[in-house]
Amino acid sequence: MEPNFYRPTVQSTLEQDSAEILSSFKEMIKSGSGGRVKLLNYYKGLPISYPATMVEVSGQVLKLDVHPQQAVALGLSGRTCIKCGSFRHTLLADVKDADVRRMMASLHNFSYVDLMAEQRASLRLELDPPCQAEITALGRKVAAQALDVSLGGFSALTSQPSQLAKGDEVLLKVMMPNLLHNTVTALEVPATVVDVACGDDGDLCRFSISSDAQAEGVLSRFIFQRQVDLIRELKEMSS
């Protein structure tokens, strides 16, 4: 679970919050009032969310029965979000263990968070491998690698300091793969810089884009097929 997917929201202290959450889980299991929760992970940007059954609280650890694909996502991420109606906030936990074959997981280090990813207007998927890109601003071209994509924008890492600032209007060119036909389409769209994180060798830039019907078609087809491929990957790893 990447840090940009959530925002910590400490209620008392981290230690007190974790103890309170564990105590609530223990009581829920003991009373039989509700042993089901929903886990949420993001696999390369794709949300993976299945119900899980709480089995027991042992010390500072919660043990659960989980869906095999969730177990894969848990092992890869190392963290997970927990949705439970007994809590006002989404919960975050570290993964102590995830066993795909036994369909079990152990979680610890609980805290409260606000889930930022749910506030996004559209699904954002990682580009793996990154796609070649080019940013044109005021006649200046900067080479980059597009790292993720949604119907509304891209994130890209420039090969050198970009000299871009929030609000700048640019032309963004991304070599988008056609996953069905194994071809590449040069997608050119007007874009606005949403955020820039400067690094020593290059900048991590986020863009919102203005798409016409043709660009939306290219992006929609890619995102749909990318989801299909990611689901297939998870099924293969969980079988």
Side-chain angles (χ1 to χ4, degrees), residues 1-2 6 41-42 70-81 92-98 106-109:
M1 182 72 66
E2 297 297 328
Y6 59 86
N41 288 87
Y42 287 87
Q70 196 82 52
V72 171
L74 289 167
L76 292 172
S77 174
R79 284 185 167 181
T80 189
C81 281
L92 180 71
D94 289 335
V95 178
K96 185 176 179 63
D97 181 59
S106 299
L107 308 178
H108 63 149
N109 297 338

Side-chain angles (χ1 to χ4, degrees), residues 108-126:
H108 63 149
N109 297 338
F110 299 91
S111 60
Y112 298 107
V113 295
D114 290 328
L115 198 56
M116 309 302 292
E118 289 187 338
Q119 299 176 19
R120 295 173 179 168
S122 56
L123 185 66
R124 184 189 302 173
L125 298 177
E126 290 183 19

